């Protein structure tokens, strides 16, 4: 399904789709600014009334023909946004946030860094200058080199590692919507699908024994839910099993080192916070963050959670 700009009533929980697009912000000028597009991203504005909570005109383009994103409007109507592709640099930092050293070379719009279990590689979503589609890249921390793992003309994103560091799992639009795929770290063999349906999905985490994969799935009735893959009885594939389905959005699941708990983000409080829940069974859950949080990570020593 295409991304939609939604109007969400926090009191009633009712939602209404306004226009196809993403990254929406409200402008004091009486417009909702948002981004839309696939191979290029353009900035659009939808006339919108705060009093009636209705659009009162047709959407129109603000910045087209490039890569425009992340709009923001000031009280006086001044608009700022990102145009084009920006270079980013990965870096090591200590627990105090002090810079230790840079990792590899700067690259266009690096996102979702994922450290391999053996500590030798980092998988990232990245771009090449002038190419609007993202791919998965592997950075070798020992040799300070990088290799391209995917090169499909559709978007690839959210890489995670297998427990053996031999494979990288990622989300891709190559089938029309975001499904989950996997490929060997050295680039050998074909890209293999793990899910193939009409829902949008993204990988979360593999269990330490490599048998189970937790992932999030967008659903038109449940927003985002958390599921997991487990091997079929004949060992020839995976069954998809629901883990957490509510009226709220649950995303970005991460397994504890012993596989007994899942950390995830949920907006059940009205904003995204981090929770921990027993896996795969259990009704309990415990809030971890207090002032908002997202995209949790678990420290293996001590089992601590960051988000």
């Amino acid at each position: 399904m295409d991304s939609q700009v939604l109007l969400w009533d926090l009191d009633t929980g009712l939602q209404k789709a306004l226009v196809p697009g993403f990254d929406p912000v409200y402008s004091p000028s009486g417009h909702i600014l948002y981004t839309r597009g696939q191979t290029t991203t353009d900035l659009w504005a939808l006339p919108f009334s705060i009093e009636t909570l209705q659009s009162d005109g047709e959407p129109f383009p603000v910045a087209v023909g490039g890569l425009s994103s992340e709009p923001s409007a000031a009280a006086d109507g001044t608009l700022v946004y990102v145009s084009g592709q920006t270079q980013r640099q990965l870096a090591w930092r200590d627990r105090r946030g002090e810079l230790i050293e840079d990792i590899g070379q700067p690259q266009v719009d690096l996102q979702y860094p994922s450290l391999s279990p053996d500590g030798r590689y980092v998988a990232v979503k990245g771009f090449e200058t002038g190419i609007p589609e993202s791919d998965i890249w592997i950075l070798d921390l020992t040799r300070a080199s990088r290799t391209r793992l995917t090169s499909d003309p559709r978007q690839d994103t959210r890489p995670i590692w297998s427990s053996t560091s031999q494979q990288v799992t990622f989300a891709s639009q190559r089938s029309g919507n975001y499904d989950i795929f996997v490929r060997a770290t050295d680039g050998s063999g074909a890209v293999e699908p793990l899910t193939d349906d009409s829902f949008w999905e993204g990988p979360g985490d593999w269990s330490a024994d490599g048998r189970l994969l937790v992932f999030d799935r967008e659903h038109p009735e449940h927003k985002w839910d958390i599921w997991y893959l487990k091997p079929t009885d004949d060992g020839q594939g995976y069954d998809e099993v629901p883990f957490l389905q509510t009226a709220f959005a649950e995303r970005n699941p991460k397994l504890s080192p012993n596989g007994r708990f899942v950390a995830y983000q949920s907006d059940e409080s009205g904003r995204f916070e981090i929770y921990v829940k027993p896996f795969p069974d259990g009704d309990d859950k415990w809030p971890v963050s207090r002032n908002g949080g997202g995209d949790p990570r678990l420290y293996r020593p001590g089992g601590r959670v960051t988000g």
Side-chain angles (χ1 to χ4, degrees):
M1 67 183 69
D2 293 331
S3 295
Q4 297 283 329
V5 175
L6 299 177
L7 179 66
W8 182 17
D9 189 318
L10 297 180
D11 293 327
T12 66
L14 294 178
Q15 297 183 39
K16 179 173 67 174
L18 298 177
V19 288
F22 48 95
D23 290 341
V25 296
Y26 180 74
S27 167
S29 61
H31 299 85
I32 293 178
L33 302 168
Y34 63 97
T35 305
R36 78 180 197 186
Q38 293 289 345
T39 57
T40 62
T41 53
D42 301 326
L43 192 62
W44 284 66
L46 174 70
F48 189 81
S49 170
I50 289 294
E51 288 73 24
T52 65
L53 298 182
Q54 301 282 339
S55 59
D56 51 11
E58 294 297 318
F60 57 90
V62 176
V64 298
L67 293 167
S68 304
S69 62
E70 302 180 31
S72 181
D76 63 359
T78 302
L79 169 66
V80 295
Y81 62 94
V82 175
S83 179
Q85 296 173 315
T86 57
Q87 297 277 334
R88 293 183 177 180
Q89 174 80 62
L90 295 183
W92 289 111
R93 291 185 178 271
D94 62 23
R95 294 177 183 272
R96 297 175 299 175
E98 299 293 332
L99 176 65
I100 299 175
E101 62 178 348
D102 293 331
I103 299 175
Q105 300 299 317
Q107 190 173 349
V108 173
D109 204 17
L110 291 178
Q111 295 183 27
Y112 301 108
S114 178
L115 184 65
S116 63
D118 62 14
R120 296 177 56 193
Y121 306 97
V122 176
V124 296
K125 166 191 173 180
F127 296 80
E128 283 288 82
T129 302
I131 300 176
E133 294 82 20
S134 61
D135 290 302
I136 305 303
W137 295 76
I138 306 296
L139 281 63
D140 188 318
L141 299 180
T142 303
R143 301 175 181 176
S145 62
R146 64 172 183 160
T147 58
R148 191 186 206 137
L149 186 66
T150 66
S151 57
D152 192 86
R154 302 297 291 268
Q155 305 286 353
D156 296 330
T157 185
R158 283 182 64 176
I160 65 166
W161 292 88
S162 67
S163 58
T164 62
S165 301
Q166 298 301 306
Q167 294 178 311
V168 175
T169 305
F170 57 95
S172 176
Q173 281 189 313
R174 62 190 64 203
S175 60
N177 55 275
Y178 278 108
D179 287 310
I180 300 174
F181 294 81
V182 64
R183 191 175 194 186
T185 305
D186 62 7
S188 62
V191 174
E192 299 179 0
L194 295 179
T195 63
D196 183 14
D197 48 48
S198 60
F199 302 111
W200 283 35
E201 295 145 339
D205 202 10
W206 283 100
S207 60
D209 59 10
R211 296 183 67 253
L212 306 178
L213 171 70
V214 290
F215 66 96
D216 50 35
R217 165 181 281 171
E218 188 180 35
H219 193 281
E221 297 177 1
H222 303 144
K223 298 172 68 175
W224 285 92
D225 301 320
I226 296 177
W227 291 60
Y228 65 95
L229 298 179
K230 71 174 184 178
T232 57
D233 293 338
D234 60 11
Q236 300 302 306
Y238 291 94
D239 288 325
E240 299 178 0
V241 184
F243 170 67
L244 187 57
Q245 292 179 302
T246 74
F248 307 107
E250 294 92 15
R251 298 205 64 186
N252 294 318
K254 291 293 182 292
L255 284 164
S256 62
N258 60 12
R260 295 173 53 194
F261 301 93
V262 168
Y264 62 95
Q265 67 183 61
S266 171
D267 64 354
E268 66 175 81
S269 68
R271 65 181 177 185
F272 278 113
E273 301 280 4
I274 304 301
Y275 299 84
V276 173
K277 183 177 178 66
F279 179 80
D281 301 309
D283 296 329
D284 296 332
K285 68 175 184 291
W286 305 277
V288 175
S289 60
R290 296 181 180 179
N291 298 307
D295 199 15
R297 295 288 188 271
L298 289 112
Y299 285 119
R300 294 192 179 275
R304 287 180 292 174
V305 179
T306 61

